[in-house]
């Protein structure tokens, strides 16, 4: 296996323990990502090949890949190697793993998408590669050209590697806009020019330069740039050309003749981009430049077949990709409407009118718009698979959460806009009007003013009212000098500070009155208002100094000047919890902590290797500071000792802004030159606090004062406003305060993404009055008892609503659209007559008539009399009314599921369960019909099938909490708990399980056991006794906790006094007595008791030979089962590590590791951990091969079992055409059946299946990590093994640790990824 090349050296010898570290994982978890938009600067900035497509922001390339299980494209990787604007990308036509990109710093890069790394760079070219394309006639050459030419060809490898000049393609009179190689005719290439002409070069033929200008330009000097140019894939000579003003022509490149000139409905229409539709001969599509109109054409007619508006903004580029194959259960994003935009700028794609000669071609179109929007449009289904509105296309310099609505995050960018995002849906909800040049910083107004102040490079400062959508004030005191920072005082809402390159920090009032003009000897880059003193402000200056000013006096001189940095100071931040403490970040790569009261630098944080930009104090833990740097990293610091607690490498470029969530203090946002905003959870840093809350420890172990919290090595204590508000609210309660405490802390410490939704569902299940549910409950996953009622109400509201002046405007839904939406809801609720009436009002008589018999024949006849003149063309959605009218619910649900509209399927299934669907009862042969409860049972089964599918979609997308919400919505508490555990949301599972009570108890007890394991091996930043006691408290919350307490005591590595103290706490005999008890049990032949007491004694190594002999004896018997062997083996794994690693235990250790590997493989099969089963078998085989042992296992037998497992569990869906399905042999079936008899069933419901943690599908930095289990690139969180080099995914680490506690490196070190 591939993975063995990474770790085989660990298996060569027995004793290699010196220098090993503890296995680790990042304490800062990425939980969300706001992707950039597509840049509007250059032409060829989207490309596709096979099951991938890509588009470019200014400095980063976004790769989307088809998820074959759900047949949807997901963000797979972000390539951020370019330091200057990317000019073009091109996918290799011969190898779907390779693509090329060029940038304005005269750089061309070849990327491997599968490995996510750079494989070649060309950086010695003289001109900017304005256009770029792989050569179709050779597999390893890329052609590129500057605006003036010539065409250069870079052969990447082989004997002819290097750059050569095309022999003919040079000396152009007009600048080059675009060029295209012919896909079939070797070496044939066409160029489009700004003067509207075409140049064509073909080996062996006469070259044609600057020919075929549009007729209207002949004899003039006017330009009409070629905006698009594509060879006909079915012809060697035909070329489709678009000019900005003249339109589209089909040209014959041989005879230099214009075959067809295509006509537009208006002379004002201009084409920005076009593309052939590969699977529809003669079909092509175009995108308009002024408005986002997509037009469908066929070469046999001069006018569009159809056109429809997809978006308000004009097209920039488009690319056709192959549609994913439709499958029985193809699942796409479960959004209510795929086309709806959070900003209402997207227009719902309308149904196409009938055209007798043509139909809409199948295929997906990657659509990139001039406002940065990116979408994937399904032409066959006439809907958006996804539409991402208004992404930033350039460096994001600043990000800030809204103080009074922290679900909103504002970002400021080099692209000249501020955008406001909903962090729950990760969509843009507002964008600032116009373009302000470069916006360096922003600051929210305090309170509910709904305004943002922005600082620009050329337009001064401004205040933007986001509700009114306009700038309401501008400040120009700095003249034309760039303003680097702006800060709105949150203690005095009338004050705003700006700092600029002119050397001034200016304090003004909201109405523009100048209060202070603080002069500095050089540019001022940062300023910050003290959160403890409203009149104190600090600045950071290019002269390397930090200054503090007191605004309440008339003096313009600083109160303090702090010196020490060796380069310019860029940002300063006051501590929100420690009065007089501030930090500064500098170009010298350091962060300094200053104490204003002592007039001194009290700490220097060194570790960044480039200038520091972002700074953020945590608002609950007073010593926790986060910094972001041009070295691409984010560092988390314990400022008490200057220790770096964690370094995050996920951003692909300079990190600029950091912001702490106001009501979730352990969630933060960061922004970067890689044009992304990322959301992070810091909660793993405060694990002891979380466990104190779960264990219901006293308040003083959870909340403290700042003085106590900053003492060296003291456990973390919450000191901020959020925690104190929780305490105050809980202490008001007289009835069951623990439930409220768990919920409030859970919401405070968790990240957005479903925790609020989860707790609302818990409240519903526990019987809370519906009137107490918050409004946002109805935006999330509702309990199904509310679903029909709410959607009915929503439909009624949409039917009766009148358009107001405020609600209208461009992009706002019309009354017609609202009526349509209302009708669709009524239809899915089984209210057929109301649906028909609404369809009549809209003039869509055919749809009304098609379902009217479902009401009555009389009603249908009545509608026939009111028939209108026209019928609307039937499309695929017309299956819906027929299914509803006939009561064929199963067919309709399967239809929705096959299209990925899972929430629609859920709605229909629930309506059927509530009896809203009229079923046509099929009679039995004897004439009797099935009773209604039989059909209801079928509908319930169907409902749970849909819920399971929706939950699994969320879960595999790394959103375990929302998956749990799906199951709570149908009162399936056990499955909800299982999904939380499989997503490693252990603290949340315990909190929710405590409230839900008995149904959740088994899963909650398992979560408590895993949390106790976590406490046993937490890195020792606290005294180990603290974690030991936490583990004991957790285990005491479980019934039958004795065996788990024994394991804890056996593993605890303290001195004899500490060990006996722990034994006493766990009600176990002292270590000295355990020796005698072990000997007595051994004499009585009680193996389990013997092992238990030896492990608890001072000679635990004596347990190993006894237990190993027992296990070996069991598996030598052909009838052994997993449940007989595993309890004994599992108990032995808790032997203290230092004892296990003794030289005297070498043989016993090796045998223990081998047995744990094999039993772990069987457990993995039982739990359906498919990704690690082969690795566990290979791990066991390698140990058998390389260690001297005597166990009743043979490598041949292991291979036979693994092959049988593979053959009998392989899925035909996962097999490609190259590897057709091969049924298992009879001998393989026999082996697998024997295996299953040994395994039995997993006792805990729902716990089977792979683990997926939050962030599983989020791409990180292009510096990749390869899994030592399978040799593949790790997507999502990484877990580093004890050698500090080998890595596996956190998902695999969790699954491995649950079935085999020992490291995959074979060292005997335990894993603790929980």
């Amino acid at each position: 296996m591939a993975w063995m090349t990474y770790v085989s050296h660990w298996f060569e010898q027995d004793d290699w323990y010196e220098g090993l570290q503890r296995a680790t994982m990042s304490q800062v978890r990425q939980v969300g990502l706001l992707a950039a938009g597509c840049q509007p600067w250059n032409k060829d900035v989207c490309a596709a090949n096979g099951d991938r497509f890509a588009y470019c922001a200014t400095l980063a390339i976004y790769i989307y890949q088809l998820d074959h299980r759900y047949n949807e494209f997901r963000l797979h990787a972000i390539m951020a190697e370019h330091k200057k604007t990317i000019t073009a990308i091109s996918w290799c036509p011969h190898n779907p793993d390779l693509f090329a990109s060029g940038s304005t710093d005269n750089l061309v890069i070849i990327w491997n998408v599968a490995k996510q790394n750079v494989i070649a760079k060309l950086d010695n070219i003289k001109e900017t590669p304005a256009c770029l394309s792989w050569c179709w006639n050779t597999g390893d050459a890329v052609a590129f050209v500057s605006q003036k030419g010539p065409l250069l060809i870079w052969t990447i490898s082989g004997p002819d590697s290097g750059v050569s000049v095309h022999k003919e393609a040079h000396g152009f009179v007009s600048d080059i806009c675009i060029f295209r190689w012919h896909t079939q005719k070797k070496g044939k290439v066409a160029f489009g020019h700004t003067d509207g002409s075409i140049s064509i070069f073909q080996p062996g033929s006469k070259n044609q330069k600057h020919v075929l200008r549009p007729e209207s330009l002949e004899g003039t000097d006017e330009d009409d740039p070629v905006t698009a140019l594509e060879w006909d894939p079915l012809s060697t000579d035909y070329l489709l050309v678009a000019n900005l003003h003249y339109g589209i022509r089909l040209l014959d490149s041989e005879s230099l003749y214009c075959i067809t000139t295509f006509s537009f409905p208006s002379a004002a229409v201009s084409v920005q981009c076009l593309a052939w539709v590969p699977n529809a001969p003669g079909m092509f599509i175009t995108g308009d430049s002024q408005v986002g109109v997509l037009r469908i054409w066929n070469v046999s007619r001069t006018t569009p077949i159809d056109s429809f508006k997809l978006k308000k903004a004009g097209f920039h580029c488009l690319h056709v990709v192959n549609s994913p194959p439709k499958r029985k259960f193809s699942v796409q994003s479960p959004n209510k409407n795929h086309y709806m935009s959070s900003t209402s700028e997207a227009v719902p794609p309308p149904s196409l009118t009938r055209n007798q000669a043509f139909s809409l071609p199948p295929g997906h179109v990657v659509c990139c718009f001039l406002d940065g929007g990116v979408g994937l449009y399904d032409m066959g289904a006439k809907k958006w698979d996804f539409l991402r509105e208004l992404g930033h296309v350039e460096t994001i310099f600043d990000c800030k959460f809204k103080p009074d609505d922290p679900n909103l995050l504002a970002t400021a960018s080099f692209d000249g806009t501020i955008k406001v995002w909903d962090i729950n849906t990760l969509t843009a909800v507002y964008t600032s009007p116009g373009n302000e040049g470069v916006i360096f910083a922003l600051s929210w107004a305090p309170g509910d003013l709904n305004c943002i102040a922005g600082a620009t490079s050329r337009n001064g400062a401004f205040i933007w009212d986001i509700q009114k959508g306009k700038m309401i004030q501008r400040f120009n005191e700095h003249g034309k000098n760039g303003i680097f920072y702006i800060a709105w005082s949150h203690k005095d809402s009338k004050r705003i500070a700006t700092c600029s390159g002119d050397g001034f920090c200016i304090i003004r009032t909201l109405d523009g009155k100048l209060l202070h003009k603080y002069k500095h000897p050089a540019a001022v880059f940062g300023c910050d208002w003290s959160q403890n003193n409203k009149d104190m402000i600090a600045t950071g200056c290019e002269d390397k100094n930090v200054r503090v000013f007191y605004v309440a006096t008339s003096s313009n001189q600083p109160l303090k000047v702090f010196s020490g940095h060796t380069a310019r100071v860029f940002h300063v931040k006051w501590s929100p919890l420690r009065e007089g403490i501030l930090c500064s970040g500098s170009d010298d790569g350091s962060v300094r902590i200053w104490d204003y009261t002592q007039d001194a630098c009290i700490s220097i944080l060194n570790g960044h290797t480039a200038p520091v930009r972002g700074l953020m104090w945590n608002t609950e833990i007073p010593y926790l500071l986060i910094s972001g740097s041009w070295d691409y990293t984010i560092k988390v610091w314990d400022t008490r000792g200057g220790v770096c607690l964690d370094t995050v490498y996920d951003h692909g470029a300079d990190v600029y802004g950091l912001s702490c969530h106001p009501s979730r203090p352990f969630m933060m946002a960061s922004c970067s030159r890689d044009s992304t905003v990322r959301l992070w959870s810091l909660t793993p840093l405060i694990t002891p606090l979380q466990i104190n809350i779960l264990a219901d420890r006293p308040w003083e172990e959870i909340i403290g004062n700042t003085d106590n919290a900053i003492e060296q090595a003291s456990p973390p204590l919450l000191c901020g406003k959020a925690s104190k508000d929780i305490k105050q609210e809980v202490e008001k309660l007289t009835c069951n305060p623990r439930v409220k405490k768990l919920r409030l802390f859970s919401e405070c410490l968790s990240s957005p993404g479903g925790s609020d939704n989860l707790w609302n569902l818990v409240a519903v299940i526990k019987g809370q009055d519906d009137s107490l549910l918050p409004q946002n409950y109805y935006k999330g996953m509702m309990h199904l008892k509310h679903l029909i009622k709410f959607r009915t109400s929503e439909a009624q509201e949409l039917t009766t609503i009148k358009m107001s002046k405020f609600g209208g405007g461009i992009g706002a839904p019309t009354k017609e659209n609202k009526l349509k939406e209302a009708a669709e809801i009524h239809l899915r609720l089984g209210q057929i007559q109301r649906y028909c009436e609404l369809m009549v009002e809209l003039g869509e008589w055919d749809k009304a008539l098609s379902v009217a018999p479902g009401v009555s024949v009389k009603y249908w006849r009545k509608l026939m009399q009111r028939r209108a003149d026209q019928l609307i063309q039937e499309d695929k959605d017309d299956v819906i009314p027929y299914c509803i009218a006939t009561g064929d619910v199963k067919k309709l649900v399967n239809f929705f599921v096959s299209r990925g509209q899972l929430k629609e399927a859920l709605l229909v299934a629930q309506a059927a369960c509530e009896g809203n669907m009229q079923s046509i009862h099929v009679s039995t042969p004897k004439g009797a019909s099935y009773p209604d409860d039989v059909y209801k049972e079928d509908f319930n089964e169907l409902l749970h099938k849909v819920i399971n599918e929706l939950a699994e979609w969320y879960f595999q997308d790394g959103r375990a909490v929302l998956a749990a919400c799906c199951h709570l919505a149908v009162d399936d508490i056990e499955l909800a708990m299982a999904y939380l555990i499989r997503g490693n949301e252990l603290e949340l599972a315990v909190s929710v399980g405590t409230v839900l009570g008995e149904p959740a108890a088994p899963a909650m007890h398992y979560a408590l056991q895993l949390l106790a394991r976590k406490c046993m091996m937490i890195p020792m930043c606290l005294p180990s006794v603290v974690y030991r006691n936490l583990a004991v408290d957790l285990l005491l919350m479980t019934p039958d906790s004795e065996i788990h307490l024994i394991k804890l005591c056996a593993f605890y590595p303290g001195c004899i006094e500490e060990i006996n103290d722990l034994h006493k706490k766990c009600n176990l005999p002292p270590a000295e007595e355990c020796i005698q008890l072990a000997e007595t049990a051994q004499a009585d032949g009680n193996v389990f008791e013997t092992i238990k007491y030896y492990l608890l004694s001072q000679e635990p190594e004596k347990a190993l030979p006894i237990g190993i002999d027992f296990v070996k004896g069991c598996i030598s018997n052909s009838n052994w089962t997993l449940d007989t062997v595993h309890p004994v083996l599992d108990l032995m794994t808790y032997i203290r590590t230092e004892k296990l690693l003794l030289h005297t235990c070498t043989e016993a250790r090796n045998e223990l590791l081998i047995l744990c590997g094999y039993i772990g493989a069987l457990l993995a099969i039982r739990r359906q951990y498919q990704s690690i089963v082969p690795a566990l078998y290979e791990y066991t085989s390698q140990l058998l091969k390389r260690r001297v042992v005597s166990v009743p296992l043979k490598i041949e037998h292991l291979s036979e079992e693994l092959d049988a497992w593979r053959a009998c569990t392989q899925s035909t869906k996962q097999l490609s055409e190259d590897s057709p399905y091969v049924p298992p042999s009879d001998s393989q079936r026999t082996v697998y059946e024997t295996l299953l008899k040994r395994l039995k069933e997993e006792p805990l419901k729902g716990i089977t299946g792979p683990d997926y943690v939050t962030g599983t599908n989020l791409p990180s930095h292009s510096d990749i990590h390869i899994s030592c289990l399978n040799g593949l690139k790790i997507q999502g969180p990484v877990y580093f093994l004890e050698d500090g080099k080998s890595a596996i995914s956190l998902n695999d680490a969790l699954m491995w640790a649950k079935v085999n506690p020992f490291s995959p490196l074979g060292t005997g070190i335990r894993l603790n990824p929980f």
Side-chain angles (χ1 to χ4, degrees), residues 317-555:
C317 54
L318 53 77
H319 204 293
V320 177
V321 299
N322 293 329
S323 294
K326 290 294 179 186
R327 300 184 184 181
K328 186 177 179 182
F329 251 59
S330 76
V331 182
Q332 292 159 353
S333 173
N335 292 338
K336 178 177 65 177
N337 293 311
H338 292 268
Y339 59 77
M340 288 306 290
S341 157
S342 57
T343 56
S344 298
E345 288 204 6
V347 178
S351 299
L352 295 182
T353 58
R354 173 176 283 282
N355 188 298
Q356 298 296 334
F358 305 101
S359 61
L360 191 65
H364 282 69
V365 185
V366 182
C367 303
C368 301
F369 298 94
L370 290 170
D371 66 352
V374 179
L376 186 69
Y377 184 67
D378 184 340
M379 291 190 291
K382 295 168 290 184
K383 66 181 181 67
W384 288 107
D385 270 10
F386 77 87
L387 177 61
R388 175 161 182 73
E389 290 273 22
L390 305 174
H392 283 299
V393 298
E394 261 283 11
T395 298
I396 303 172
F397 286 119
D398 200 6
C399 59
K400 296 283 193 317
F401 285 102
K402 192 173 191 293
D404 66 318
D405 184 2
N407 289 322
L408 297 182
L409 177 75
T411 53
S413 171
F414 191 95
D415 64 16
T417 65
I418 292 176
K419 301 189 190 302
V420 180
W421 308 83
D422 182 329
I423 60 168
N424 290 306
T425 59
L426 301 179
T427 53
V429 289
Y430 303 103
T431 186
S432 58
N435 190 301
E436 296 291 333
V438 177
I439 303 180
F440 286 123
L442 66 88
S443 184
W444 283 96
D448 57 356
L449 292 178
N450 290 318
C451 291
I452 294 175
T456 76
S457 63
R458 67 183 186 195
N459 288 339
F462 61 81
I463 296 177
W464 167 39
D465 187 315
I466 62 173
Q467 297 288 357
K468 295 178 180 177
K470 64 180 182 180
M471 304 300 180
I472 59 173
Q473 200 159 353
R474 290 188 180 273
F475 305 115
N476 297 301
E477 298 91 341
H478 295 285
K480 293 294 182 182
N481 293 287
I483 301 176
F484 295 112
Y485 205 75
I486 190 163
W488 205 318
S489 171
H490 283 250
K491 295 288 184 181
D492 184 347
S493 62
K494 295 180 180 178
R495 293 175 179 170
I496 296 178
T498 54
C499 45
S500 166
D502 62 6
F504 286 100
C505 174
I506 293 177
I507 316 294
R508 67 184 61 74
T509 60
L510 192 54
D511 58 10
K513 179 183 176 184
L514 199 67
L515 296 179
H516 286 282
K517 197 171 182 180
Y518 296 127
K519 182 170 177 55
H520 294 66
V524 190
F525 293 106
C527 63
D528 190 45
W529 292 97
S530 170
Q531 298 184 46
N532 297 303
N533 186 329
K534 70 182 180 66
D535 296 320
M536 202 87 82
I537 190 168
T539 63
C541 182
E542 191 170 15
D543 72 348
K544 311 171 188 176
N545 292 330
V546 175
R547 291 171 173 80
V548 178
F549 296 89
Y550 193 62
V551 179
T553 68
S554 58
S555 171

Side-chain angles (χ1 to χ4, degrees), residues 665-666 681 683 686 690 693 718 744-751:
F666 296 97
S681 171
T683 310
I686 55 157
Q690 287 183 288
I693 294 164
L718 302 175
L744 291 176
F745 272 119
S746 174
E747 291 174 342
C748 174
L749 300 181
S750 61
S751 305

Side-chain angles (χ1 to χ4, degrees), residues 620-645:
E620 284 288 340
I621 306 293
Y623 55 79
L624 213 56
L625 177 69
I626 298 93
S627 60
S629 167
W630 279 6
D631 64 9
Y632 301 8
T633 70
I634 298 170
K635 288 185 180 290
V636 182
W637 305 91
D638 182 339
T639 58
R640 295 174 299 183
V643 177
C644 180
L645 300 176

